[in-house]
Amino acid sequence: KTPQGSKILQNIDEEEIAELDVDEIMAKQVEQLEKEKKELQERLKGQEKKVDHLARAKRIEEIPLLQEQHEEDQKAHKIFWEEQEKERIENLKKERTHALETKARLSLMKSELDAFTSSL
């Protein structure tokens, strides 16, 4: 006796077993296997629904947290950008001041350059 065979024959008494031929026994065995397969698929579908429900609930709980984190990140990026922009403007002002000082020094040397070139 196999486990599947015993499942098929457990609900049938000995007189009915004696009357069954091989084809009927095989048909009952196939019917039993299909029934078990269907039950397994239903169980798996139920588990899939539970997992899906949990995943959705988890996302619903995470959405506000993710939005809050996104807002905090935006604030941090804005502060960083403002600091970088302030630093860039200060560097431009320093470069401008240095350029003006260089221009003033070179303009003082212009008269000496003109005198030198005219003496040649």
Side-chain angles (χ1 to χ4, degrees):
K1 286 186 173 183
T2 62
Q4 288 134 350
S6 62
K7 286 182 185 177
I8 295 168
L9 300 176
Q10 70 184 3
N11 295 331
I12 303 173
D13 59 0
E14 290 183 24
E15 293 173 7
E16 290 180 22
I17 293 174
E19 293 176 4
L20 293 176
D21 65 353
V22 177
D23 291 335
E24 290 176 341
I25 294 174
M26 290 297 287
K28 287 190 180 273
Q29 191 173 10
V30 168
E31 184 180 314
Q32 180 69 27
L33 289 172
E34 287 180 7
K35 181 181 174 185
E36 289 176 5
K37 182 179 175 183
K38 186 177 179 182
E39 289 173 358
L40 178 65
Q41 286 178 342
E42 288 176 3
R43 266 199 331 255
L44 289 174
K45 193 171 186 179
Q47 287 177 347
E48 181 182 348
K49 284 182 180 181
K50 286 179 185 178
V51 169
D52 184 51
H53 178 74
L54 290 174
R56 287 179 188 212
K58 188 172 160 183
R59 272 187 299 218
I60 288 173
E61 289 179 7
E62 287 177 345
I63 287 173
L65 298 174
L66 291 172
Q67 287 175 339
E68 183 179 321
Q69 182 181 6
H70 178 68
E71 290 172 3
E72 290 174 4
D73 289 345
Q74 280 185 325
K75 288 177 185 176
H77 288 306
K78 184 176 180 181
I79 291 171
F80 177 74
W81 182 82
E82 288 173 352
E83 290 173 357
Q84 292 293 316
E85 189 67 12
K86 192 181 292 185
E87 188 177 313
R88 186 183 70 86
I89 291 171
E90 288 176 13
N91 287 337
L92 287 174
K93 285 180 181 179
K94 287 178 184 177
E95 288 177 16
R96 173 77 175 150
T97 305
H98 180 65
L100 290 175
E101 290 171 358
T102 304
K103 181 182 176 186
R105 276 197 324 267
L106 291 175
S107 65
L108 292 175
M109 295 173 60
K110 175 85 167 120
S111 60
E112 293 176 12
L113 176 66
D114 291 338
F116 177 75
T117 54
S118 65
S119 67
L120 293 177

